[in-house]
Structures are given as structure tokens and as C-alpha cells.
Amino acid sequence: MSLTEPGTDTATRAAEDPGASGTGGGAPRPPGRWAAPPRPVWEEEPTRAGLAGKGIALTAACLAILFPLWIVIVTSLSSRETIAEAGGLVVVPKDLTFIAYQELLGGGQVQRAALVSLGVTLVGTLFSMTVSVLCAYGLVRTNSLGHRWILLTLLATMFFGAGLIPTYLLVQALGLTDSYLALILPSAVSVFNILVLRSFFMNISPELMDSARIDGAGDLRILWQIVMPLSRAVIAVIALFYAVGYWSAWFNASIYLTDQEMMPLQNVMIQLVQKQEPPAGLGQQIKTGQLSPLSVQMAVMVLALLPVAVVSPFVQKHFRKGMLTGAVKG
């Protein structure tokens, strides 16, 4: 006589007693690295048509993203003759050469602009993360002095802004024009990022902080040794947001900087692509036919995209835990 009640679903029994499933009734074999997670008993098995449709849709989306990137990379590596033969953008690689990258990175305006963008990104991200983390940690203490008014003031800045002209006059009055600080301070803090950090910090068990205070730890030590190690996911995501913002920024430099030698890489790319003006030091090579203007344009685009493409995969695994957990549970 079976000990299982009649009508009990087989999937339910397998979920309650994993050892009962499989051949031999022994302990289940641990799933492999790429094995799919166990499916809930109420979720039906996907059909072959559904799986095929998902595969086709994902393949089409990947091609729509990768094909333009492929064209940009191949064109940047093509010679002047190959570009002339293709009549513009190159799809099929032929006679690849790195002369455009060698000239761009061999000195001159592009190399200087890349160093400016890199320096502004590193310093700006460090400064923005420091201010955002300290502000979010302070707002976690809901019983602190002026907590509600400070939070409402921050929220108000998300919906109301002074405008471009007052901001420019403020930057000019502070003497920040023609200074790299003008590329960092006006956009140093994002209230949205502070709120995400605050929501994540509030999910940390308050007993950990209370026990640390009993042991004599101050707020800075609690933040450094307890809160930040437990918040690595959200900190990595917010740092990526700030870094991409600084690396891709061009508007502040266009209105606050007048010295062309101080321009970051994005502004040089705008000058090269939109205004059709070659970077300093490359005009002669383009006129003499050694370089194609199109290959130089594509090479600058690749240099601008490369850091984000390299860093993003390492932070991608933190997106779900860092953003969704901090935003939904807060």
C-alpha cells in the first residue's frame, strides 16, 4: 500500500522529497554550473514553439546591437583603399590595419583628451561616491536632527531646478570656468542614487549597528566596517552609474571650458564627427591620403566605448541585487 495520498501531484512529491526523484531513489545529483534553476510546481513547462520564439527574439536583439558595433570596429581597422572601395562604412573586413589607432594614441589631442576623461572619471566617481554614501548613511537615522526636512529638500531638487543660466552664473562666480572642477562639481551628486543607497542601507539589520555602538564603534567605523562590506552590490552599481556619466559627459565641457587642450574625449569626438574637423596632429595625414577621415572617426568612437564595454560585464552581476533589492524593499 502506498503511503502517498491519492491525488498528490508527482511534482509536489518530488519538490518535498528530492531524493525520491531520479533513478535508484538515491540522493539527487547536484546541478551543474549552467543548469536551470528548479521550476515552481505551478509553472507549466515551456513549449518548443515558445522556446524557439524566445531564441529567435534574443538572437535578433543581439544582432541589432552587435552589427552596428561590428561595422564601427571594422571600419576603424580598414585602410583608405578598403573604405573607398566599400563606398563608406565597411562590413566585410579586408586589409586590416591599426594605423588609425597608432596615430590617435601616439600623442596629440586625442590622447590628451582621453587622459582628461580618465582623470575626471576617476576623481569625479570617487568624490560623488563619497558624498552619496555619507549622505545616504546619515539619512538612514530617521530620528536624527532635521532628517525629514533634509530628505524633503533632496526630493525637491529632483523635480525643480534653477536652470542653465543661474547654474552657469554660479559656476562663473565661484571661479570654476576653464577648470576641471567645472566638469565634476555641477553634476557631482544624484539624488536618485542617494535614495537607492539609503533604501539598501535601511535593509541592513539595525542590531548589527547597535552591537557595534555598544562595543564603542563610531559612525565612521560602522559605515566602513559593517555597512559598506554588506552593500558591495549597490555600491558597485552606483559607482558604475557615476563613472559612465562622467565618461560620457560633454555638455559641461562645452559651456564651461574654452581651452581646446582641456577638452575631454567626448567633445573631441563631437568635433571630429559632427563638425568634420580632424584632431590636432592628424590633419596632414588625412590631407596626404595616409589616413581616411572615416576610419579616424570610427577609431575615436571605439576608444570612447571601450572603457564602458570592459567594465560593465564585471558589474553586471550586481545589478539585480544592488538596484532591485535597494529600490523595491526600501
Side-chain angles (χ1 to χ4, degrees):
M1 179 186 234
S2 176
L3 297 179
T4 306
E5 295 182 3
T8 304
D9 187 69
T10 304
T12 306
R13 294 199 307 269
E16 294 175 351
D17 186 11
S21 61
T23 59
R29 185 171 56 184
R33 179 179 180 184
W34 303 107
R39 186 178 299 277
V41 295
W42 61 84
E43 186 176 345
E44 63 181 5
E45 292 289 335
T47 63
R48 292 185 177 180
L51 291 177
K54 291 179 181 179
I56 294 174
L58 290 176
T59 303
C62 291
L63 291 177
I65 296 173
L66 296 178
F67 186 66
L69 184 61
W70 166 264
I71 293 178
V72 170
I73 295 176
V74 172
T75 305
S76 68
L77 295 174
S78 299
S79 62
R80 188 182 184 93
E81 293 76 13
T82 303
I83 294 175
E85 181 181 349
L89 297 175
V90 181
V91 178
V92 180
K94 178 183 177 182
D95 298 333
L96 300 182
T97 176
F98 289 91
I99 184 172
Y101 293 94
Q102 293 175 356
E103 295 295 335
L104 289 176
L105 299 177
Q109 186 179 8
V110 174
Q111 183 181 19
R112 183 170 58 251
L115 294 177
V116 170
S117 294
L118 182 61
V120 170
T121 300
L122 294 177
V123 176
T125 302
L126 179 61
F127 178 77
S128 298
M129 286 301 300
T130 302
V131 175
S132 299
V133 169
L134 291 177
C135 182
Y137 179 67
L139 293 175
V140 169
R141 305 178 63 176
T142 56
N143 58 348
S144 59
L145 180 64
H147 166 271
R148 182 177 181 84
W149 293 106
I150 295 175
L151 183 59
L152 290 176
T153 302
L154 290 176
L155 290 174
T157 61
M158 295 181 63
F159 305 101
F160 306 100
L164 177 60
I165 295 178
T167 303
Y168 178 83
L169 294 177
L170 176 62
V171 172
Q172 187 181 42
L174 295 175
L176 299 180
T177 53
D178 284 330
S179 170
Y180 291 127
L181 291 178
L183 307 181
I184 298 175
L185 295 182
S187 56
V189 178
S190 171
V191 177
F192 173 80
N193 293 339
I194 292 177
L195 295 179
V196 173
L197 287 169
R198 175 180 178 269
S199 299
F200 200 96
F201 291 168
M202 293 185 70
N203 291 327
I204 299 176
S205 176
E207 287 78 8
L208 290 175
M209 303 182 188
D210 294 338
S211 61
R213 290 191 179 93
I214 293 175
D215 292 338
D219 285 324
L220 290 179
R221 187 173 181 182
I222 293 174
L223 175 63
W224 182 257
Q225 296 187 354
I226 296 179
V227 176
M228 293 189 66
L230 295 175
S231 307
R232 286 193 296 266
V234 69
I235 289 177
V237 173
I238 298 302
L240 178 64
F241 285 173
Y242 278 126
V244 172
Y246 281 115
W247 180 262
S248 305
W250 61 271
F251 184 70
N252 286 351
S254 63
I255 61 176
Y256 298 134
L257 300 182
T258 58
D259 189 355
Q260 292 297 321
E261 295 185 356
M262 299 178 63
M263 291 294 178
L265 184 61
Q266 302 297 334
N267 294 77
V268 174
M269 184 172 63
I270 293 174
Q271 172 187 344
L272 178 62
V273 175
Q274 292 186 353
K275 300 180 181 180
Q276 301 294 325
E277 297 178 3
L282 295 181
Q284 188 63 27
Q285 288 91 331
I286 293 176
K287 291 180 180 179
T288 56
Q290 299 178 10
L291 279 176
S292 171
L294 188 58
S295 65
V296 175
Q297 294 175 5
M298 298 299 109
V300 175
M301 289 185 182
V302 172
L303 293 178
L305 293 173
L306 188 61
V308 178
V310 171
V311 175
S312 294
F314 296 98
V315 188
Q316 185 69 30
K317 61 180 180 180
H318 299 296
F319 265 87
R320 181 178 179 182
K321 183 178 180 182
M323 289 300 298
L324 296 184
T325 304
V328 175
K329 289 189 178 180

